[in-house]
Every structure is written in structure tokens, then in C-alpha cells.
């Protein structure tokens, strides 16, 4: 739970309202986003939405950190990567076996994991902890769909990337989709601890808080 100064209106329902308004999530601008000079654009979108950046740093992650970051031993997640790769085939006159060399979701997913680990170490990343009202869901909405060609315009991935796993996997690389955001509470807690454990997470108020979600009249 965030440590912000609790105001009267935040004390409702045994602090549950406070927790909803001060939820924390982890997000990261991937190497392609940093190297394309999109840090300011992406941070600007987070800030303009009314969410607050409470920790940030830039680093080139090593293999150990990336393997700990993603659920690389979760068979369901790995198979889901394979399913997503296959969904890149929709509307194309190609089969999974032709493109990826296999039709098996787990095998396909495992190939994606290897490519993803390389991609995430390919340059600096800009990691952040973001706080605000339902921050986990909000930052996922700002990010857009995993596959850039499916991401809605108006989202980070939809506006600034066009990649498809079909094209990416032929080259044995991960799709380049600029941005990572925790999917749920469990991922958020794990990722914040992994990337910022033992570091200062700042506690401050935004000038816009009272206008955005308080009865100020
Ligand atoms: O990043 P997100 O939570 O939206 O998706 P994910 O399913 O957790 O996948 C993690 C990352 O793996 C994606 O953001 C892509 O960079 C990469 N990926 C890929 O390169 N090819 C796929 N078929 C699926 C995912
Ligand atoms: Mg994910």
C-alpha cells in the first residue's frame, strides 16, 4: 500500500478507496522505445492521463534480470506466447509450421522466450513505478495490444509500432512493441520488488489530484 498522506475522503471502506486510488504498477520502455527517442512521448502519455511516476531509472538489463522479470517457467504463459504468434497469421496465406517450423504452442512460445530475452538486453531500458487510480489497468490501456498490428490507434504500441510476429519470427527475433506494463496485481508486486526493491519510491501529491478525483466544490 502506498504511503501518501491520507486525506479524510480517502479513509472510506477501511482504506480500500485509498488503495484503489494509489495502486502501483511497473512499466518499462523497451530498448527500441529508448533508441527511437520515445521516452518523453511515453512518459508524457502516462503523466497526462493523471497517473504519477514515483520511481524511474535507466539501465541495460542482463539475462538474469530478464529471466526473473518474465514468468519464464510458467508453462501457461509460454504457450500463450505461442498462441499470440499464431494469431499473427490471421488473414495471411501461411501456416504456423511454414512460418515458425512448428504448430505447437509451447514449442513456439519457448522460441519466443529466447528471442525476447535477447531483445530486452539489446540496449538501455527505462523502468518506472507508476501510481494512481487503478494504475495497473490504466497503464495496460495506455500500452495497447501486445501485437502492434492489433493495437488500437491512440495507444503507445498502436501509434508508434507496426510489427507482426510473423515478420519478427522469420528473423528469429521478438516483435518490437516499445513498452512493457504489468498485467495484474501479482505481476506488479513481483516486478516492482525485482526492479526497485530496496530503492526509494517517492511519496508526493500531484497538483491535479484534487481536481481529477476529489469533490473540491
Ligand atoms: O507484453 P505483454 O504483457 O502485452 O505480452 P506477453 O504475452 O506477456 O508477452 C511478453 C512480450 O513477448 C511481448 O510484449 C513481446 O515483446 C514478446 N512477444 C513476441 O515477441 N512474440 C509473441 N508471439 C508474443 C510475445
Ligand atoms: Mg505480459
Amino acid at each position: 500500500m502506498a504511503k501518501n498522506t491520507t486525506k479524510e475522503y480517502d479513509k472510506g471502506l477501511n482504506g480500500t478507496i485509498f488503495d484503489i486510488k494509489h495502486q502501483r504498477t511497473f512499466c518499462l520502455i523497451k530498448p527500441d522505445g529508448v533508441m527511437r527517442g520515445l521516452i518523453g512521448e511515453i512518459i508524457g502519455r502516462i503523466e497526462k492521463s493523471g497517473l504519477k511516476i514515483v520511481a524511474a531509472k535507466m539501465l541495460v538489463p542482463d539475462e538474469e534480470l530478464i529471466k526473473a522479470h518474465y514468468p519464464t517457467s510458467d508453462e501457461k504463459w509460454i504457450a500463450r506466447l505461442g498462441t499470440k504468434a499464431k494469431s499473427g497469421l490471421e488473414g495471411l496465406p501461411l501456416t504456423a509450421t511454414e512460418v515458425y517450423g512448428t504448430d505447437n504452442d509451447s514449442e513456439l512460445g519457448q522460441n519466443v522466450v529466447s528471442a525476447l530475452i535477447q531483445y530486452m538486453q539489446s540496449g538501455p531500458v527505462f523502468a518506472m513505478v507508476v501510481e494512481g487510480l487503478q494504475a495497473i489497468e490504466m497503464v495496460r490501456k495506455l500500452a495497447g495490444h501486445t501485437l502492434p498490428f492489433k493495437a488500437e490507434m491512440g495507444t503507445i504500441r498502436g501509434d508508434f509500432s507496426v510489427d507482426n510476429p510473423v515478420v519478427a519470427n522469420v528473423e528469429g527475433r521478438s516483435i518490437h512493441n516499445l513498452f512493457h506494463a504489468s498485467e495484474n496485481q501479482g505481476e506488479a508486486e513481483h516486478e516492482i520488488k525485482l526492479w526497485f526493491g530496496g530503492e526509494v519510491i517517492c511519496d508526493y501529491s500531484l497538483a491535479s489530484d484534487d481536481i481529477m478525483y476529489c469533490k473540491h466544490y
Side-chain angles (χ1 to χ4, degrees), residues 73-168:
S73 48
D74 177 348
E75 286 301 327
K76 277 193 187 145
W77 179 76
I78 293 170
R80 197 187 70 176
L81 297 178
T83 310
K84 285 186 181 179
K86 280 197 209 165
S87 74
L89 293 160
E90 283 163 22
L92 299 176
L94 297 164
T95 66
T97 311
E98 279 172 334
V99 176
Y100 303 122
T102 176
D103 192 33
N104 180 281
D105 282 354
S106 299
E107 205 181 321
L108 198 41
Q110 199 57 61
N111 294 340
V112 173
V113 171
S114 307
L116 178 60
I117 291 169
Q118 286 177 25
Y119 162 43
M120 293 296 286
Q121 296 178 77
S122 66
V125 300
F126 193 86
M128 289 168 270
V129 179
V130 172
E131 183 183 308
L133 197 136
Q134 292 177 290
I136 297 170
E137 199 180 332
M138 289 305 300
V139 178
R140 286 294 292 185
K141 277 168 66 175
L142 289 171
H145 196 284
T146 306
L147 306 181
F149 78 101
K150 288 195 174 192
E152 300 267 351
M153 302 315 289
T155 66
I156 293 164
R157 289 163 166 175
D159 284 352
F160 302 113
S161 61
V162 289
D163 213 357
N164 180 320
V166 172
V167 176

Side-chain angles (χ1 to χ4, degrees), residues 170-189:
V170 165
E171 287 190 294
R173 66 167 174 85
S174 172
I175 50 161
H176 294 169
N177 60 1
L178 301 167
F179 189 65
H180 164 84
S182 310
E183 293 182 40
N184 51 49
Q185 184 83 44
E187 276 192 9
E189 284 170 13

